[in-house]
Every structure is written in C-alpha cells, then in structure tokens.
Amino acid sequence: MHIHKLEKYWLVFGIILLAVFLTVLGVSAFAAGNQPASDADLVDPAKVHQTAPFDNPGLHKIGDNEYELVMVAQAFTFTPGNVEIPKGAKVTFLVTSPDVVHGFQLVGTPVNMMVVPGHINSLTYTFKETGEFLILCNEYCGTGHHMMATKIKVVE
Amino acid sequence: MNDVASKLKQWEMERGVPVPSIGVKEARLAYAHVVISVLAVLIGALAGLMQTLIRTGIIPEVFGYYQLLTAHGIMLGLVFTTMFIIGLLYALLAKSFGRFESFPTRVAWLGFWMIIAGAVLVTIMVLANKATVLYTFYAPLMADPIFYVGLVLFVVGTWLSAFAMFRMYADYKRENPGVHPPLPAFMSIMTMLLWVIATLGVAGTILFQLLPLSLGWKDTVGIELSRTLFWYFGHPLVYFWLMPAYIVWYTVVPKVIGGKIFSDALARMAFLLFLLFSFPVGFHHQLTEPGIDPFWKFVQVILTFLVVIPSFMTAFSLFATFELRGRALGARGLFGWVKKMPYGDVRFLAPFVGMLFFIPAGAGGIINASHQLNAMVHNTLWVTGHFHITVGTAVALTFFGTAYWLVPVLRGRTLTKAMNRLGLIQAGTWAFGMAIMSYAMHISGLQGNPRRTGPATYFSDALTREWIPYHMAMAIGGTILLISVLIFVYSMFNLSFLAPKGEEEFPLAETEEAAMETPRFFENWKLWITVTFVLIAFAYTIPIWHLIESAPPGARGWVLW
C-alpha cells in the first residue's frame, strides 16, 4: 500500500512523540514510583465500622513525623473531620466507604482517589506548608453530595 | 427509466411533492430519528441551562439539581447522539447503495420504536425522581427497575438498527461481488460494529448486576466489576460519537468545498484502527480506583494512546484535502488555502469550527488518560470542560452542520440562503458559548473545582469563593448555548415544513484519482472482529479474573436522593 511521503513523515513524527511521552510516563510510574491510587486491600462494606483499622478512624502516628489517617467516607460526611496535622508530616490516607462510591480529593494536590465500597484505597502525601486544606467528595453520591467535605489544618 | 427511478416518479406524482434525493422509505426512517434527536437537544439544553442557573443561585431549585443533571446527560449523551447517528447512517447507507426495495424496513422501524419506548421509560423515571443516578448510573446507587428496563430497551433497539444496516451491507456485497462498498457505507458499518461490541459491556452490568439488584433478586452487587464493564463500554462510546463526525469530515466536507477525498484506503485504515484501539482502554477512566493493579492500568494507558495514530492520519487527510482544494483555487504557500475555504457555507463552517475545537480537546484527552497526570484533573470540572469541547463541540457542531443539508434532503426541500445565514449564526453562537463555558470549566477544574456538584460553598472556603466567577461564566456560556439551540430548533422546523420544495444536494465526495488502490483485506470482517476480541481479551482477562476471584463481599443497593 502506497502512503504519501509527507504523511509518512507526519506519522513517524507522531509515533516518536508518542513513544517519548509513554517512556516518560513509564519511568515516572515504575522507576520513580508515581503510581495512581490502586490499593488492593478488601473490607466487607457492611462491617466497615467493626473492622480494623476503620473501627478506630483518626490520625495515627506510625513513625517519626509519619502518620496514617484512617477515614470513613459515608453519605454525606468524612469521619473524622477537621484533622490537625503537623507541618512536614508524611501522611498516608486510608479510606473506604460503607455505602456508595465517593471521591476523596485534597484540593490543590495530586491526592485524588475513588472510594469504592468493599475496597480500601490509599495515597501518601507530605504536607510541606502550614495552612488549611479542603477535602471534598468528587463523585456523585446522592442529594447531599455537595455538602460532603472536611478540612485538614497543617500546623507548626 | 429504471425501476427505482420510476417508483420515485410515481410517488412524486401521487403526492404532488418532489422526492427526496434518497429513497422515500429510508428518508422517512432517517428523518424520524433526526426529529427525535432535535427534541432531545432542546430538552437536554434546557436542563443544562437550568443547572448552571441553579448552581449560581440565579434561579431557585425548581427541579432537583441532580435530577436535571441526569436528564441533561441522558438527553444529550444518549438520545441526541444515538438518534442523530442512526438517522445519518441510514441516510448514508441508502445514498451509497442507491436502492430502497430490499431495505430491511421492518427491523429498522422496530428498532426505532424500541429506542423510543426505552427513552420514554427512562425519562419518566428521571422526572419521577426515581432514577437520580446520573447518566453513568454507578453501582451501588439503585434506580427503579423500570429505569434499567428502559435502558435495556434502548440498547436492544439500537442493536436492531445495527442489524438492519449490516443486512443492507451484506445484500450489497452479495449483489455486487468484487466491488468495494462505498467509503461512507464502510465507515457506517464500522461505527455500528463498534457500538454493538461496546454495548455488550453495559448490557452485561445492567442485565446481570443492576436489574437483579433493583428487583431484589440479588442482595448485593460487585462494584468494581460493574464499573469495569461500564467503562469497557464508556470509552468506545466516545468513538461511537466521534466516528460519524469523522465520516462527515472525510466524505462530506471535501465535497462541500469542491474537493475530493484524499485517500480512500487511508480513511478505511483509520476507521479500522479506531475499531481496534477503542476497546482495550477502559481502565484509563478508572486510574484512581482501588482493586486494579497499576500494571494493567498502565497497559491500557499505552493502548489508549495508540489511537493517536489514526487521529494523526485523520488530521493529515483533512488538511491535505483543504490544501489541495485551496491550491486548485490558486492559493499559494503553506497556509494559502485558509483564505479559499467557503466560510459562508454552514455545511462547511460548522464542521470546520468543530475540527478546530478538537485540537485542544485532543490535547486535553491526552492529559486525562495519562497514568499520573490524571490525578490532577480526575472528577474535576476540567473533565466536564473536556467533553463539552469534544462531544459537545467537535461532534455536535458537525452534526448541526450536517442537519442543515440532511433535513432538506430527507424532506425534499432546499437549504435556503436565509436558513444558511441562520445556520452560520447558530454555529457561531454555539462555538462562542462553548468557548466561554468550557474555558471556565477547564481553568476552575485545574484549581480543584469538582464536577457534578450542586450549589456548594464548602463552609465558604476561600478557595471555593474564587470559583464563583467561573460559575458565572458557565451560566453566561450556557445561556448563549440555549439561544443557539433555539435557533437550531427553529431552523430544523423551517427546513422541515417551510423551506421551498426541491432537490437538495446530498454531498458525498469522490476519491482523488491519484489515490492508492484500496486493499481487499480491509473488508475481511471476520479477521478484524477476531483481532478486536483478541485485544479485548489481552487487556481485560487477567484484571477481570482478578476482580472476580478476589472480590470483596458485595455492596447492597442504595437510594440516596
């Protein structure tokens, strides 16, 4: 099959760009470890409140300025709310839902994940500056969806 | 005089009106679909405008916000697109094959009425506030069983339409051995084939998961499996919207500018690649979800980007056509053709502006589908902005521009100068409204403004106060868009009933003489369907097996509205 010379150049140019782009994504994902939220842990959605660690939601210290924030996203609240976190802390968010699918978005950061009943999802983020952060639900979950939010206060 | 022509003549004498330039039965069928799609645009756009006005507090919440959002999505994303596409493809097939006696009319009309029945049931349930689940109806939100029955009827109806088209194609192949079916027919069949394979996924989750759950036959539902089946359908759906627009770009626009199709073979190859690369990619919509291994997400991200190749081919062919035509008209230099295009012709202008919008839209799509970049924009208004310039502009403007000649063709009337001018205004207002609205959506989305939310202030958070001007911009854009829709609806009414009778041209271009020969294996459907399923199996078997084998206890259904 004959392909026009200029079109060949154009396609080769496109394919090279694509290869470069995908290599950058791949190196970032598998060498630098920048993976999207993909936790594999499971939990019974009907028993979230009785199952560890969700029977005790809150901020738990697990190392030197390292924390786990265990949160339950439930129509239409995040538990716990209004958490205070020390500046410079590396925080791993662990979230699940006992009812429907919710979103967990720390506005202005790459912390953005789906909260799916039956699954635990997690992401780690380091708070380098003090200030207030808004967490909101970004997946429609019912009539109160736009009320579902909480705040994180990063303090000295 | 041949048989077909004599029948048309007879029809003309009996009715005292001119005949449409395709067969009468096909014209009636295609027109019925287009009418429904115009009604859907009107209802959907009204719902959309009310949403933006409620969101900014300009009008009180007359309907539930999420109810309107559901109606907006279903009317525009499902009814408008699907009905216009099926109508257009019927017309293209009838024109390409040039006959109407063996047209499988009964199956086609049965399909039409099933789609209508389904859409009516779905609409009633949404109006009754029994299915405020948005048009993505994610489990375990649980709508009334009738809502799901409506969706099933809708999908099965479209399958009947597809089978009517496949039958026309098979008949043509049998009667014309050794002849390449015309390019628009080949592309139409490819589009419907993609639709049928794609809807298997959504039919699976509705029939085996959601319907039994809402009927109470099952207590729980596996959510990740349901979402995976949904997105297996959800991404090819995007190509089901785009491919008919591409058909117009490849085969109609060249004729409108007085040029020819750059290459028949490359056009067919691009469509083949769209079929192959549309399926194994659904995970890029699920990048931030638990339960799916990052490796498989990455595999599907790579496969997603392969669609760049046919997209590049399409861009090349289109601009090559423009340049060749421009040169034939005496244009010089690299961009001399720009001055030679018929911008005063709505049949050209509307699809052309759609193409221009598709350039930033494609770039945005690359960001959405990227393994980690996605986290910055996932579920924000950026995504809403993205599909308002892809489906909402590139596709919708192409369909509008098409309707201005298609409706006169189907009604045996002509596109008058006045209607053409109104069409230019309509396309212009649409582009202007969309530019304002989608710009505001993209920018505030980047700042974290979530999509699909009712009037929210988040405890008067300082950040969310900054989003207010963007919401105002969206309301202004939405108002302009509704004006555009009203002009469109009036134009369609005029072209259906008031415009002078006559024969409007059905613009389909010929291929460049210098173009290459079309290879025969492009029409080997068994081969391509097999390759498609092999790719689907490669991308989905292991992750779906994993989702089933290590599934969590199911979730029960919820009604939270």
Side-chain angles (χ1 to χ4, degrees):
Chain A
M1 196 168 81
H2 166 78
I3 296 182
H4 194 283
K5 189 179 75 186
L6 289 175
E7 177 152 28
K8 265 186 205 152
Y9 292 157
W10 171 245
L11 284 178
V12 167
F13 165 75
I15 291 167
I16 289 173
L17 271 188
L18 186 62
V20 169
F21 183 70
L22 285 172
T23 308
V24 171
L25 280 191
V27 168
S28 167
F30 295 99
N34 294 320
Q35 294 284 5
S38 304
D39 206 309
D41 290 337
L42 306 177
V43 61
D44 185 343
K47 295 179 188 149
V48 164
H49 301 293
Q50 297 99 47
T51 312
F54 298 100
D55 55 348
N56 181 23
L59 189 70
H60 308 303
K61 190 159 184 164
I62 52 171
D64 187 26
N65 217 6
E66 217 177 316
Y67 296 84
E68 227 173 48
L69 180 55
V70 177
M71 254 195 186
V72 178
Q74 184 168 7
F76 302 104
T77 53
F78 290 102
T79 313
N82 301 320
V83 182
E84 281 200 2
I85 291 176
K87 185 182 161 186
K90 183 177 170 188
V91 181
T92 299
F93 301 94
L94 282 178
V95 269
T96 192
S97 158
D99 45 40
V100 297
V101 177
H102 299 283
F104 183 100
Q105 181 189 348
L106 192 65
V107 175
T109 74
V111 177
N112 194 343
M113 54 181 154
M114 302 299 292
V115 187
V116 179
H119 295 264
I120 296 169
N121 212 352
S122 64
L123 267 180
T124 303
Y125 185 72
T126 304
F127 290 91
K128 291 181 183 139
E129 305 287 331
T130 57
E132 274 193 347
F133 285 84
L134 181 67
I135 294 176
L136 53 81
C137 173
N138 64 14
E139 180 66 274
Y140 169 69
C141 56
T143 39
H145 165 54
H146 53 285
M147 312 288 182
M148 188 167 165
T150 188
K151 282 191 176 178
I152 284 184
K153 209 172 201 175
V154 182
V155 293
E156 283 292 342
Chain B
M1 192 180 279
N2 67 34
D3 193 39
V4 173
S6 70
K7 277 205 159 49
L8 288 174
K9 194 78 201 156
Q10 190 191 342
W11 192 84
E12 185 176 339
M13 278 156 53
E14 279 169 15
R15 307 288 180 96
V17 290
V19 292
S21 66
I22 60 171
V24 175
K25 285 199 282 183
E26 292 94 325
R28 204 178 296 151
L29 182 69
Y31 181 68
H33 286 80
V34 173
V35 168
I36 301 297
S37 77
V38 173
L39 287 176
V41 166
L42 183 61
I43 303 170
L46 274 170
L49 177 66
M50 281 164 77
Q51 258 172 264
T52 63
L53 296 181
I54 289 173
R55 187 78 173 74
T56 38
I58 294 171
I59 61 168
E61 208 167 335
V62 267
F63 270 100
Y65 180 86
Y66 297 106
Q67 215 179 336
L68 283 172
L69 181 50
T70 308
H72 177 69
I74 288 172
M75 281 299 149
L76 295 179
L78 199 61
V79 184
F80 160 59
T81 47
T82 309
M83 288 311 246
F84 192 86
I85 289 166
I86 292 175
L88 171 65
L89 298 191
Y90 276 139
L92 286 168
L93 285 170
K95 179 71 182 172
S96 306
F97 295 153
R99 328 156 291 156
F100 59 93
E101 279 312 303
S102 70
F103 192 78
T105 315
R106 257 188 237 159
V107 181
W109 278 109
L110 184 62
F112 174 79
W113 289 112
M114 272 182 90
I115 295 173
I116 299 284
V120 167
L121 289 185
V122 166
T123 309
I124 291 174
M125 285 301 110
V126 174
L127 290 177
N129 201 21
K130 290 196 164 171
T132 304
V133 289
L134 308 195
Y135 69 102
T136 40
F137 51 87
Y138 289 142
L141 290 171
M142 191 171 65
D144 192 282
I146 296 173
F147 173 81
Y148 299 115
V149 170
L151 288 178
V152 169
L153 284 174
F154 191 98
V155 169
V156 175
T158 62
W159 288 351
L160 293 177
S161 316
F163 292 133
M165 293 187 206
F166 296 160
R167 167 79 195 285
M168 289 173 83
Y169 185 91
D171 286 352
Y172 178 87
K173 285 289 279 183
R174 205 177 44 247
E175 289 163 21
N176 299 277
V179 177
H180 284 300
L183 180 61
F186 177 87
M187 292 171 142
S188 302
I189 294 301
M190 192 66 85
T191 307
M192 288 317 276
L193 181 62
L194 173 125
W195 171 257
V196 171
I197 299 177
T199 41
L200 293 175
V202 73
T205 180
I206 295 175
L207 286 176
F208 299 115
Q209 294 190 292
L210 295 170
L211 191 56
L213 180 78
S214 74
L215 284 168
W217 298 349
K218 273 173 59 178
D219 296 329
T220 62
V221 58
I223 298 175
E224 268 308 312
L225 180 62
S226 155
R227 294 175 71 85
T228 300
L229 287 172
F230 182 87
W231 283 114
Y232 158 86
F233 153 79
H235 193 77
L237 172 66
V238 169
Y239 279 91
F240 175 68
W241 293 331
L242 273 175
M243 282 161 77
Y246 288 164
I247 298 178
V248 172
W249 296 358
Y250 268 113
T251 68
V252 172
V253 171
K255 178 75 175 180
V256 171
I257 64 172
K260 290 190 171 168
I261 296 168
F262 178 68
S263 162
D264 178 280
L266 279 178
R268 286 179 205 243
M269 188 159 105
F271 264 55
L272 256 178
L273 296 178
F274 282 128
L275 175 79
L276 300 184
F277 298 151
S278 281
F279 288 101
V281 302
F283 283 166
H284 79 246
H285 290 259
Q286 298 177 274
L287 285 175
T288 65
E289 282 174 37
I292 302 167
D293 190 84
F295 170 77
W296 287 103
K297 289 180 178 173
F298 195 72
V299 166
Q300 297 209 4
V301 164
I302 292 175
L303 292 169
T304 303
F305 283 124
L306 290 183
V307 90
V308 165
I309 296 166
S311 302
F312 265 55
M313 287 167 64
T314 301
F316 188 93
S317 295
L318 298 176
F319 286 94
T321 304
F322 296 156
E323 189 184 333
L324 286 173
R325 177 60 182 160
R327 282 189 195 283
L329 291 174
R332 286 150 190 265
L334 202 51
F335 294 105
W337 61 267
V338 173
K339 287 188 210 140
K340 301 284 182 189
M341 293 294 118
Y343 299 105
D345 187 339
V346 65
R347 301 174 306 162
F348 171 77
L349 185 82
F352 182 71
V353 174
M355 288 175 205
L356 296 183
F357 269 88
F358 204 59
I359 298 169
I366 287 174
I367 292 171
N368 297 343
S370 297
H371 206 46
Q372 312 96 358
L373 286 177
N374 174 266
M376 289 312 293
V377 295
H378 177 76
N379 269 353
T380 67
L381 267 176
W382 162 284
V383 177
T384 317
H386 170 71
F387 67 70
H388 277 88
I389 55 173
T390 49
V391 191
T393 312
V395 172
L397 267 179
T398 303
F399 288 178
F400 292 156
T402 304
Y404 280 93
W405 59 261
L406 182 62
V407 167
V409 161
L410 299 177
R411 297 286 300 174
R413 290 176 191 270
T414 52
L415 172 57
T416 54
K417 268 190 179 159
M419 280 305 114
N420 181 60
R421 200 174 319 125
L422 207 53
L424 295 174
I425 296 170
Q426 191 249 324
T429 41
W430 187 266
F432 184 56
M434 263 316 170
I436 296 175
M437 193 174 84
S438 68
Y439 176 78
M441 285 172 168
H442 274 98
I443 297 293
S444 69
L446 275 185
Q447 298 170 357
N449 195 355
R451 66 167 173 162
R452 299 174 150 190
T453 42
T457 58
Y458 298 115
F459 342 105
S460 297
D461 189 272
L463 190 62
T464 61
R465 275 203 303 275
E466 284 173 26
W467 295 337
I468 292 172
Y470 293 108
H471 287 288
M472 293 304 287
M474 284 173 227
I476 293 167
T479 310
I480 298 170
L481 288 169
L482 187 75
I483 294 170
S484 178
V485 162
L486 293 176
I487 300 174
F488 177 66
V489 173
Y490 170 73
S491 307
M492 291 303 113
F493 178 80
N494 183 297
L495 292 171
S496 295
F497 303 105
L498 307 176
K501 288 169 182 166
E503 194 168 330
E504 179 64 31
E505 181 196 21
F506 195 126
L508 278 183
E510 292 165 9
T511 309
E512 283 286 340
E513 287 91 5
M516 64 182 116
E517 182 58 28
T518 304
R520 201 138 294 278
F521 67 92
F522 282 177
E523 281 139 41
N524 189 341
W525 297 100
K526 274 185 200 133
L527 171 68
W528 300 119
I529 294 172
T530 310
V531 174
T532 306
F533 277 104
V534 167
L535 273 171
I536 294 169
F538 164 69
Y540 276 111
T541 309
I542 294 174
I544 286 194
W545 169 247
H546 182 80
L547 280 177
I548 293 172
E549 183 221 30
S550 65
R556 69 182 189 88
W558 291 81
V559 179
L560 293 173
W561 58 88

